[in-house]
Amino acid sequence: MSTIDEIRNRLDIVDIISESVKLRRSGKNYTGFCPFHANTRTPAFVVFPDSGSWRCFGECNEGGDLFQYVMKKEGVDFKEALKMLADRAGIQLEPLTPQKKERNERVDHLRKLLEEAIMFYRNQLINSEPGKLARTYLREKRGIKPETEEAWELGYAPKGWDAVLNYFKSKGYPISDIVEAGLLTERQDGKVYDRFRHRIMIPIRDMSGQMTGFGGRVLDPEDVPKFINSPQSILFDKSSILYGLDKARRAIRSENQAVIVEGYFDVIVVHQEGFQNVVSPMGTALTEIQIRMLKRFTRRLTLALDPDAAGQKATLKGLEVAREALDHNSDPIFDARGLIHYESRLQADLRVCTLPDELDPDEIVIQDPKLWEQIIQKAQPIIYHVLESLTEGQDLDDPKVKSTIAAQILPLVKDVANPIERDAYRQQIARILKIDERVLLDAASHSNRPRKYKKQSPHSEEQPAHTAKLEFNEQGKINMIERGILAYLLKKPESKYKINRFLRSNKLDQLTITDFSSSENQHIIQIIFDSLSQGDLDPLDFIAEKVEDETFLKELEQPEPSKSSEEELKNTDLRELEESARMIMQARQLSVNQQIRDFRFMQTSQEEEGNNDQGVIHQERLLDLIKKRGLLDHALSKPVIIQ
Ligand SMILES: [Zn+2]
């Protein structure tokens, strides 16, 4: 029996669901009000104990098994639901090695110590004289309400050097434990003292709500640094924690968007004001691990960055500088290049929104919650954001300014993996900088700098260049074919109908704009289609009018074939038509092959991550692609004949 079946056997779906839904017996089954949509009239939610499943027949029209219920209810992914339910069923998912067991026990022990530290710091905040100062600061300077302060377990670390030390010693904890939990700092000579002194204490929990460490903010403006965190330890690794995610995950999933802010107080106050999909990477640029974590809940990630020195502007003064800084292990908050790289690789949708000058997220949301919503809605892709920041206040008629901006933005565009997006960015940049798009393309190919690869073996050194070349050739080939099809259809738009008839007779889909990969090619085919669906002009005149102010279309115009006898001309026409139909199938074949490779890659990588829950859908789509490929292969194996 599989572990999953074992869990299903041991747990009762009715027991578990009735913890969150009031269920009434109805024959063999149970009914109640659906916990996933607001309703008070019809109990549209049914639990079927026999099949171990549930379904909402109301608004949601969704259902599933116990795992899906827990995933939806707790806002977790399959892996995590499995872990939670295995725990509950008392089933060990993987056998523990003695080392792992020891480490787990150690982590548990230190976590208990940290939970106790929360109580200590809270007691100081509420009951001590200096704690009052901290409370006043939170209320008056930050607008944090008492219930918020309690919900986020804020505390106060007293001024002395040994308050925490003495407290935990009196509780019987060995000093080594207090040091390892990150509450004491050890000097070279072995003496220890309180790490956090006269600071507001912010407990940092991981995404499942487990204690990992603290952030401490100064109360005395003279003290530096403004924030300190717990040191790196077996509990605390700030590159893999997002502050507030334990409280934000459900909202992130239900709203299908995560908003990333810079500070702890931004998270706390924005949550307080009703926007619960907000988290913070603690004073660092978003890491790949953090993006992966968020991607379990949504792929739409929006960065709301403070306009201050630590934020966008300083970094944007020179992206080169930011990249240097990254090499030197400092922590820029906004690293456009890194983010675009992750965005492409992780298939996330990363956007940036610009906050009004001098205002932080917490200030905006307290002043005007509506404004916060508007700002988040206006978030734009990273490249547009960078472009806007670079062009702000610049004289765009100055050729020097143009070329400086182009030089900074083009490397970012080059890193965008999706060719359609890349083209769209280039077009937009060309528009804003008022230059010809082809100039940008040239500039981009010149800015090809040699990349540094780690040399391990002669093979690994050759590999990347080889792959890159293949990719280029394939994409170049597809583009060439597409251009050929367009050149023909620009001259003979009405041939679309003949081509479609031919495609249909081979059980192939009609020609659509998705047969073209780059956005400019899609743009052209759209003009051709439009020329056929309008009734005011002859299609060729319509095209000519549209082409007039779009210079890049002119490249496509080919010399007319020299006219000879009528019979011969007819033959040439037909051959061209047949050749175009063949090219359409060829382009599709290349693209289907590419999609199949992408699917296989995705499947493998998901299997590696243990994410098999989407396997069925993928399998279906893959089969669909393979079927398409079969039809294309067959049609291409014989001569194309159009009557
Ligand atoms: Zn429902």
Side-chain angles (χ1 to χ4, degrees):
M1 193 190 296
S2 78
T3 314
I4 293 176
D5 289 336
E6 176 88 40
I7 293 169
R8 278 207 189 93
N9 272 358
R10 288 208 202 173
L11 299 176
D12 182 349
I13 189 167
V14 178
D15 272 0
I16 289 177
I17 293 183
S18 55
E19 282 168 13
S20 41
V21 180
K22 198 162 184 275
L23 291 175
R24 284 181 45 166
R25 206 187 170 97
S26 164
K28 279 202 306 192
N29 303 323
Y30 292 80
T31 59
F33 290 110
C34 172
F36 306 123
H37 75 265
N39 63 337
T40 46
R41 280 182 299 143
T42 17
F45 183 82
V46 186
V47 182
F48 309 95
D50 280 356
S51 58
S53 64
W54 58 274
R55 173 158 287 280
C56 164
F57 292 92
E59 220 172 290
C60 313
N61 189 27
E62 253 187 273
D65 63 7
L66 182 56
F67 294 96
Q68 278 149 334
Y69 182 82
V70 171
M71 283 156 71
K72 204 164 154 65
K73 185 81 189 124
E74 304 299 326
V76 297
D77 65 2
F78 179 73
K79 246 161 96 182
E80 233 175 309
L82 182 61
K83 229 185 275 168
M84 288 166 76
L85 291 172
D87 240 24
R88 209 173 146 145
I91 289 168
Q92 195 63 249
L93 286 177
E94 294 158 50
L96 280 182
T97 61
Q99 290 90 331
K100 261 193 186 164
K101 204 166 163 226
E102 199 178 308
R103 190 189 149 98
N104 284 356
E105 277 164 8
R106 185 82 194 133
V107 166
D108 281 348
H109 176 71
L110 294 175
R111 275 201 179 118
K112 272 194 204 105
L113 196 159
L114 288 180
E115 292 288 352
E116 218 166 308
I118 294 178
M119 313 265 278
F120 171 80
Y121 291 132
R122 270 204 66 68
N123 185 40
Q124 293 290 323
L125 180 77
I126 295 162
N127 298 320
S128 79
E129 202 50 44
K132 272 188 192 153
L133 188 71
R135 286 203 118 179
T136 312
Y137 170 84
L138 290 172
R139 302 268 148 88
E140 288 170 12
K141 289 267 165 33
R142 289 291 174 163
I144 292 173
K145 296 171 186 161
E147 59 268 29
T148 309
E149 178 206 288
E150 201 185 323
W152 293 81
E153 308 168 289
L154 304 181
Y156 167 71
K159 267 181 178 160
W161 295 83
D162 55 8
V164 166
L165 175 63
N166 291 335
Y167 175 79
F168 281 99
K169 255 172 43 185
S170 77
K171 289 263 175 177
Y173 281 98
I175 288 177
S176 58
D177 284 4
I178 322 171
V179 172
E180 202 179 344
L183 298 177
L184 299 180
T185 301
E186 198 167 10
R187 287 197 326 211
Q188 295 260 311
D189 62 5
K191 292 240 168 72
V192 291
Y193 59 92
D194 287 9
R195 181 178 175 85
F196 300 97
R197 299 174 309 279
H198 193 41
R199 281 173 185 264
I200 289 177
M201 296 301 286
I202 303 151
I204 301 165
R205 295 181 180 274
D206 65 15
M207 68 190 274
S208 26
Q210 308 246 51
M211 237 343 240
T212 65
F214 285 96
R217 192 210 185 268
V218 292
L219 265 175
D220 184 344
E222 300 291 301
D223 285 350
V224 282
K226 208 159 106 184
F227 281 99
I228 51 175
N229 288 325
S230 293
Q232 180 88 14
S233 69
I234 55 168
L235 289 174
F236 189 72
D237 171 13
K238 72 175 172 178
S239 68
S240 64
I241 301 169
L242 281 161
Y243 181 64
L245 187 54
D246 57 320
K247 290 186 170 64
R249 55 197 282 171
R250 275 193 217 176
I252 290 173
R253 176 158 287 175
S254 64
E255 282 158 45
N256 189 21
Q257 181 183 39
V259 177
I260 294 120
V261 296
E262 281 177 26
Y264 297 107
F265 291 129
D266 294 327
V267 173
I268 296 172
V269 173
V270 177
H271 271 250
Q272 171 180 286
E273 300 306 314
F275 304 97
Q276 272 147 8
N277 59 343
V278 179
V279 296
S280 169
M282 291 155 289
T284 62
L286 215 51
T287 65
E288 182 171 345
I289 305 173
Q290 289 166 336
I291 296 177
R292 275 185 197 280
M293 268 158 55
L294 288 172
K295 264 213 63 199
R296 297 158 82 168
F297 309 108
T298 183
R299 56 185 292 275
R300 287 175 56 211
L301 314 178
T302 302
L303 280 88
L305 302 174
D306 292 1
D308 66 11
Q312 44 187 337
K313 283 200 178 135
T315 323
L316 287 174
K317 269 189 188 144
L319 291 162
E320 288 296 331
V321 179
R323 279 149 62 195
E324 295 280 300
L326 200 67
D327 289 343
H328 290 109
N329 246 342
S330 92
D331 286 333
I333 305 287
F334 178 78
D335 164 32
R337 199 175 173 110
L339 289 173
I340 286 169
H341 184 65
Y342 297 146
E343 182 182 39
S344 294
R345 196 137 59 93
L346 305 177
Q347 293 179 7
D349 173 4
L350 269 166
R351 281 159 199 263
V352 183
C353 57
T354 318
L355 301 179
D357 272 340
E358 314 302 324
L359 285 177
D360 286 349
D362 57 340
E363 294 167 309
I364 294 168
V365 83
I366 282 184
Q367 278 178 22
D368 184 359
K370 279 253 147 56
L371 178 62
W372 173 255
E373 270 177 288
Q374 285 163 12
I375 292 169
I376 299 300
Q377 268 169 15
K378 280 190 202 143
Q380 43 184 355
I382 297 168
I383 290 194
Y384 292 156
H385 172 78
V386 171
L387 185 64
E388 197 170 82
S389 310
L390 290 172
T391 50
E392 201 189 310
Q394 299 280 359
D395 173 14
L396 293 181
D397 292 322
D398 182 340
K400 281 241 164 61
V401 170
K402 284 188 202 200
S403 76
T404 312
I405 293 173
Q408 282 185 285
I409 197 101
L410 283 175
L412 292 182
V413 178
K414 262 188 71 196
D415 285 353
V416 174
N418 183 326
I420 297 176
E421 260 177 64
R422 210 162 46 218
D423 282 338
Y425 288 138
R426 281 209 191 98
Q427 282 166 21
Q428 177 78 350
I429 292 166
R431 222 179 356 259
I432 289 175
L433 297 181
K434 291 180 258 179
I435 48 180
D436 194 317
E437 206 194 322
R438 276 169 303 180
V439 177
L440 284 184
L441 276 167
D442 285 349
S445 59
H446 288 311
S447 73
N448 256 331
R449 275 183 227 138
R451 291 195 179 199
K452 285 180 220 155
Y453 290 108
K454 275 186 188 158
K455 288 180 195 173
Q456 277 158 345
S457 72
H459 288 291
S460 70
E461 204 182 345
E462 281 162 23
Q463 204 55 34
H466 182 62
T467 324
K469 206 172 167 200
L470 257 183
E471 264 172 26
F472 173 77
N473 282 345
E474 183 108 323
Q475 197 52 50
K477 198 168 163 191
I478 292 177
N479 195 46
M480 231 173 58
I481 298 173
E482 287 177 7
R483 290 277 167 151
I485 302 164
L486 291 171
Y488 175 72
L489 284 173
L490 277 171
K491 286 186 301 180
K492 308 257 179 222
E494 67 288 351
S495 294
K496 174 192 157 188
Y497 301 119
K498 285 185 191 159
I499 290 172
N500 275 342
R501 268 201 300 279
F502 168 79
L503 292 172
R504 249 198 320 268
S505 70
N506 280 284
K507 298 199 184 77
L508 297 169
D509 294 337
Q510 311 269 293
L511 187 66
T512 68
I513 65 165
T514 52
D515 277 311
F516 297 83
S517 57
S518 74
S519 55
E520 76 262 28
N521 291 353
Q522 291 194 342
H523 177 76
I524 299 166
I525 193 71
Q526 189 61 59
I527 292 177
I528 294 167
F529 288 173
D530 289 348
S531 80
L532 295 169
S533 57
Q534 53 85 41
D536 297 336
L537 293 170
D538 179 84
L540 285 177
D541 292 339
F542 179 88
I543 290 171
E545 198 163 274
K546 290 275 169 188
V547 169
E548 186 69 340
D549 42 31
E550 298 184 70
T551 43
F552 70 96
L553 290 180
K554 294 202 171 122
E555 293 175 23
L556 286 164
E557 287 175 345
Q558 284 179 355
E560 285 285 306
S562 58
K563 289 184 185 177
S564 38
S565 77
E566 192 139 310
E567 183 61 55
E568 211 174 302
L569 195 62
K570 223 176 149 189
N571 280 339
T572 319
D573 270 4
L574 195 57
R575 268 207 305 279
E576 272 195 287
L577 173 63
E578 289 170 346
E579 177 58 15
S580 299
R582 203 182 54 79
M583 287 197 292
I584 288 166
M585 295 191 295
Q586 249 186 339
R588 274 186 194 174
Q589 193 185 37
L590 287 168
S591 133
V592 164
N593 278 331
Q594 178 141 27
Q595 283 180 60
I596 290 172
R597 280 200 301 275
D598 289 350
F599 252 110
R600 293 233 158 96
F601 168 76
M602 192 178 61
Q603 273 183 322
T604 323
S605 72
Q606 285 193 334
E607 269 162 31
E608 275 163 12
E609 281 182 10
N611 254 334
N612 290 324
D613 42 331
Q614 292 201 316
V616 182
I617 304 163
H618 291 157
Q619 207 54 40
E620 258 176 38
R621 292 210 199 135
L622 186 60
L623 286 173
D624 195 41
L625 285 169
I626 289 171
K627 196 178 139 201
K628 270 190 189 149
R629 183 170 65 181
L631 290 169
L632 285 165
D633 289 350
H634 180 69
L636 281 164
S637 68
K638 43 186 194 177
V640 176
I641 297 164
I642 299 180
Q643 264 95 32

